[in-house]
Amino acid sequence: MPTRRSLLAGLATLPLLPRMGLSASAPHRLRLAPAPIQIAPAQYGKTDLWGVNGSVPGPALRARRGERLRVEIDNALPQATSMHWHGIRIENAMDGVPGLTQDPIATGEVFTYDFALPDAGTYWYHSHAQSVEQVERGLQGPLIIAEDEAPDVDQDLVLMLDDIRLAGDASVDAQFTHPHDRSHAGRLGNVMLTNGQMEASFPVTQGERLRLRLINSANARIFALGLQGLTGWIMAYDGMPLPTPEAIPERMLLAPAQRIDLIVDVSASAGEDAFLIQFERDGGYAQAIFPVSAGTSTTRGTPAPLPPNPDHPIELSDADTVTLRMEGGAMGGMQSAQWQGKAQGMRALAQAGQFWAFNGVVGRPDKPLVRASLGQTVKIAMVNDTSFPHAMHLHGMHFAEVLPDGSLGPLRDTLLMMRGETRTVAFNAHNPGKWLLHCHMLSHHAAGMGTWVEVVA
């Protein structure tokens, strides 16, 4: 099996993916189909991916806040599928969750998604059917919603950060239901990718101001990221602008499905390279390279905050609170859990590939975790009683963490819960429908970590 180092050792620079976008003025047709693509060095051959219009990741869908997006999904895959529009506060019927909001799109069928875009920011689309395999093989892409007034930058760059697990011939490792992945940290890849490339390069000039839209589209990897030769500010988390830009720390953790918008200035000198660095236990590696050419050394000030998105106030004084306890996994203390309507022991659950539970229930239950009235504030106390981190994602709405002093943190749609942590989030139930709440380590979701909330108009 090729390791990251063995692949990088033979790597020749690969061509960049085209920086394509699709206009919001007409319906878009996305064809999902097998797409052998050369992502490894040539001696390994092409990788058996599933592309969106022939590319991995798929084309960037671009629109403006307040518009509608209409997308026809043409399924030419050997499996049924669906498409989730991650982070969009969307009409429930368009959310793309088989068995909860729609039937899966069968092979040979076309399904049309048509929805409003209430918020500007960095979002993404990905399969929500058999996701461990389908997202790994490439059914993903950026969804960029422009502000009414864009920030003053010289380049606006999307960086989709991913990993993929390849076999010795550079084919995708087909063990998508391996018990170790399901019961431990999830399916981790052995090759790192940015925009589908092992070595992504973005030419810049000294002194340029860049907007970097970082999207973690990996199955399970938590990226620990840093910058070299770039200085700047965090502008938004998960598409939601910060009221005041934050200084970029030495390391940023980006969990699966999370996004961070940065505005950075190129501080490296001409002839040098700047880097987005991915840290591992044995050091830092270039996740993306920014070759620097001659420019200016003019210093710019702190950028103005991005325009805020529509507000749905979170009133903690009137909130109802529920608890979500995460249990199970390797080294967990769970002995049995409810699954498919009856109690099951861990041996039976493991034989069925189920290793995790929320509140003692494996998989999506018949009843919601909470049923809320429209406009009600809901608090969820999340308890990670497991030995592994979990990226908890709520569909249809954004939440804020309730901090120890009672204030609210920034709005997000995905929260990284480390082992042993207890953290509380709150959201305004402003969007009617049945909304999935699950771990976005996709093997964990497939192995039991999924529930839902219902907002009743």
Side-chain angles (χ1 to χ4, degrees):
M1 176 182 295
T3 65
R4 187 179 181 191
R5 287 189 178 83
S6 67
L7 283 173
L8 287 172
L11 178 67
T13 300
L14 300 176
L16 286 175
L17 291 175
R19 293 181 185 172
M20 65 182 73
L22 299 177
S23 167
S25 61
H28 312 306
R29 192 175 184 93
L30 299 183
R31 180 176 172 83
L32 314 184
I37 293 175
Q38 189 72 45
I39 60 171
Q43 64 265 32
Y44 289 99
K46 294 184 177 181
T47 298
D48 49 329
L49 301 176
W50 291 353
V52 182
N53 289 359
S55 67
V56 173
L61 299 180
R62 296 182 181 271
R64 300 192 69 84
R65 179 167 60 187
E67 294 180 334
R68 291 192 71 86
L69 190 66
R70 189 168 185 265
V71 183
E72 298 173 346
I73 300 295
D74 177 5
N75 183 13
L77 300 168
Q79 298 176 359
T81 192
S82 71
M83 195 63 71
H84 172 55
W85 312 93
H86 190 111
I88 299 295
R89 299 194 276 193
I90 199 170
E91 296 97 316
N92 191 241
M94 298 288 101
D95 195 43
V97 181
L100 189 66
T101 68
Q102 71 171 93
D103 294 329
I105 308 167
T107 301
E109 289 187 350
V110 175
F111 183 90
T112 300
Y113 294 93
D114 186 349
F115 52 92
L117 300 168
D119 301 314
T122 301
Y123 307 97
W124 64 301
Y125 60 90
H126 63 84
S127 164
H128 221 292
Q130 304 187 66
S131 300
V132 178
E133 178 174 6
Q134 293 193 11
V135 175
E136 174 90 346
R137 287 192 185 274
L139 299 187
Q140 53 172 274
L143 175 55
I144 307 302
I145 312 304
E147 298 87 2
D148 297 332
E149 294 184 12
D152 182 16
V153 297
D154 299 302
Q155 293 194 63
D156 187 328
L157 303 174
V158 178
L159 280 66
M160 292 199 78
L161 313 182
D162 198 1
D163 66 359
I164 188 169
R165 186 182 296 177
L166 299 183
D169 60 355
S171 63
V172 177
D173 185 321
Q175 295 296 318
F176 295 108
T177 60
H178 198 288
H180 185 276
D181 294 339
R182 289 192 168 212
S183 61
H184 287 70
R187 181 183 169 100
L188 299 173
N190 54 5
V191 174
M192 308 298 155
L193 301 173
T194 298
N195 292 359
Q197 303 165 73
M198 290 177 59
E199 190 171 86
S201 180
F202 303 89
V204 298
T205 60
Q206 185 182 16
E208 268 195 312
R209 175 157 284 188
L210 314 175
R211 180 175 186 169
L212 302 181
R213 301 175 185 263
L214 309 182
I215 303 171
N216 183 348
S217 64
N219 250 275
R221 182 173 298 277
I222 301 167
F223 282 91
L225 301 169
L227 301 176
Q228 181 175 315
L230 303 167
T231 59
W233 303 265
I234 298 175
M235 305 300 294
Y237 293 112
D238 294 353
M240 295 289 107
L242 294 172
T244 303
E246 297 178 353
I248 297 174
E250 183 177 342
R251 293 196 183 191
M252 300 172 284
L253 291 184
L254 194 64
Q258 288 184 329
R259 289 89 64 212
I260 300 179
D261 279 50
L262 308 177
I263 287 182
V264 300
D265 295 331
V266 179
S267 55
S269 300
E272 298 180 345
D273 290 335
F275 299 95
L276 175 67
I277 301 169
Q278 186 250 335
F279 293 103
E280 297 182 5
R281 292 180 180 178
D282 58 350
Y285 295 85
Q287 185 69 34
I289 302 171
F290 301 84
V292 181
S293 59
T296 176
S297 58
T298 302
T299 301
R300 307 195 200 186
T302 303
L306 298 174
N309 285 320
D311 188 26
H312 299 275
I314 297 171
E315 302 292 348
L316 294 179
S317 60
D318 298 327
D320 286 346
T321 303
V322 296
T323 298
L324 180 67
R325 182 176 294 276
M326 308 167 199
E327 303 166 291
M331 299 173 282
M334 187 175 73
Q335 299 301 314
S336 64
Q338 288 283 330
W339 185 53
Q340 296 183 343
K342 61 181 181 180
Q344 299 276 1
M346 284 306 297
R347 181 182 295 273
L349 289 170
Q351 289 174 343
Q354 301 297 299
F355 295 94
W356 308 92
F358 288 158
N359 295 345
V361 178
V362 173
R364 194 164 67 221
D366 294 334
K367 294 182 180 180
L369 174 71
V370 60
R371 182 174 282 113
S373 300
L374 192 65
Q376 178 183 350
T377 295
V378 175
K379 290 199 299 184
I380 303 177
M382 298 185 184
V383 182
N384 184 359
D385 192 16
T386 81
S387 298
F388 295 91
H390 303 288
M392 295 301 299
H393 171 50
L394 175 65
H395 288 216
M397 293 163 288
H398 285 75
F399 53 71
E401 184 176 1
V402 182
L403 301 176
D405 64 1
S407 64
L408 294 173
L411 289 173
R412 301 209 69 148
D413 59 52
T414 306
L415 179 72
L416 178 59
M417 293 282 300
M418 305 305 287
R419 57 181 294 179
E421 280 191 330
T422 296
R423 299 167 73 179
T424 298
V425 300
F427 64 92
N428 180 310
H430 65 272
N431 201 354
K434 299 177 179 180
W435 300 107
L436 195 64
L437 173 61
H438 67 104
C439 177
H440 220 284
M441 277 75 169
L442 299 178
S443 294
H444 293 177
H445 183 203
M449 298 193 82
T451 186
W452 55 293
V453 302
E454 185 173 16
V455 180
V456 181

